[in-house]
Amino acid sequence: MIKFKFFYFFFLILFLLKPLEAKEPSELINEIVNEASIILSSSDPVESKIIRLNNIAELNVDINGIGMYTLGKYRKDLNEDQKIKYKKLFKSFFLKSFSSRLVDYSDPKINVVSEKKINDKYTIVNTILEATSKNPEIKIDWRIYTKNPERPLIRDLYIEGLSLARIHKEEFKSIIENNNGDINYLFKSLEEFIIK
């Protein structure tokens, strides 16, 4: 079974995204955070919030791209049926891994500090998650795929310098390697997490 570490709750932040007009990445993140505050602090039932926020994530996060990256070298060995199955499982896993933490983060306060254009395809937006009485201040860097400025997509988050996509990649690699390279053990682990 997959062991999920404490900082998976930061995938919660990914659902804060909503379709917006093309703009600078830092402006985009500011609008995303403001919209999230409205959703998370509303009196809607948790189930309703999860549905709305999952829809937003599906439109604005490159879930398939992240999922294929996490497989590393093993993605080359998948046949078409396995690829379809994995994408479906990863999407469900990804959405559940942050939505299950909604109650703990009802109104995150995130401030944009700076942005840096890495190249024509990527921009990094540096933000700070404000400290609360329960949690310390945390540095969050958003990796935004900007090749198409009309449709920017989140490709990764770095929490205090740690890539969440890389964490998944290492975890998935460990599961596969500990089971003689059999991808079906990863499928089983994802299924167990999704149904519990």
Side-chain angles (χ1 to χ4, degrees):
M1 182 174 174
I2 298 175
K3 294 179 181 177
F4 298 98
K5 302 183 172 53
F6 75 95
F7 45 110
Y8 280 122
F9 72 84
F10 283 108
F11 269 123
L12 165 69
I13 295 165
L14 291 178
F15 70 72
L16 307 179
L17 309 176
K18 70 183 187 96
L20 297 169
E21 296 175 10
K23 54 189 71 203
E24 292 302 311
S26 58
E27 188 181 350
L28 175 68
I29 297 300
N30 268 325
E31 291 196 16
I32 286 166
V33 170
N34 291 337
E35 180 68 16
S37 247
I38 294 167
I39 295 171
L40 294 174
S41 59
S42 75
S43 60
D44 292 348
V46 171
E47 295 80 9
S48 175
K49 290 181 184 181
I50 289 172
I51 290 168
R52 290 170 62 198
L53 297 168
N54 280 354
N55 288 338
I56 292 169
E58 289 180 54
L59 289 172
N60 295 282
V61 179
D62 187 4
I63 298 174
N64 280 337
I66 294 169
M68 295 313 287
Y69 168 80
T70 61
L71 276 182
K73 66 181 182 180
Y74 295 102
R75 68 179 173 265
K76 297 175 184 176
D77 300 329
L78 296 181
N79 61 40
E80 281 307 308
D81 288 340
Q82 289 174 319
K83 193 177 290 186
I84 290 167
K85 181 175 183 177
Y86 174 73
K87 286 182 178 181
K88 182 178 178 183
L89 285 171
F90 184 82
K91 179 178 175 181
S92 296
F93 156 78
F94 177 89
L95 294 173
K96 183 176 179 179
S97 68
F98 69 80
S99 63
S100 63
R101 311 294 187 189
L102 277 175
V103 175
D104 296 332
Y105 293 86
S106 59
D107 190 12
K109 300 282 193 282
I110 301 172
N111 300 311
V112 172
V113 177
S114 63
E115 76 172 58
K116 180 179 180 183
K117 183 174 181 178
I118 304 301
N119 53 44
D120 289 338
K121 295 182 180 180
Y122 287 101
T123 297
I124 301 292
V125 176
N126 309 111
T127 64
I128 296 290
L129 175 62
E130 290 182 8
T132 66
S133 59
K134 296 180 180 179
N135 299 297
E137 176 181 281
I138 297 172
K139 179 183 174 186
I140 303 169
D141 300 328
W142 308 64
R143 182 172 177 163
I144 303 176
Y145 186 60
T146 53
K147 184 177 181 181
N148 178 0
E150 300 297 320
R151 182 135 166 59
L153 293 171
I154 300 301
R155 284 275 174 98
D156 199 3
L157 285 182
Y158 293 80
I159 310 302
E160 294 293 341
L162 296 173
S163 160
L164 295 185
R166 183 171 292 278
I167 289 166
H168 282 305
K169 183 178 181 180
E170 292 303 316
E171 187 177 9
F172 289 7
K173 177 183 176 185
S174 175
I175 290 168
I176 296 168
E177 287 184 351
N178 288 335
N179 291 283
N180 299 316
D182 189 344
I183 194 76
N184 290 305
Y185 282 90
L186 175 60
F187 293 167
K188 182 180 177 184
S189 293
L190 293 172
E191 287 167 346
E192 287 174 353
F193 175 76
I194 292 164
I195 64 174
K196 71 177 179 181

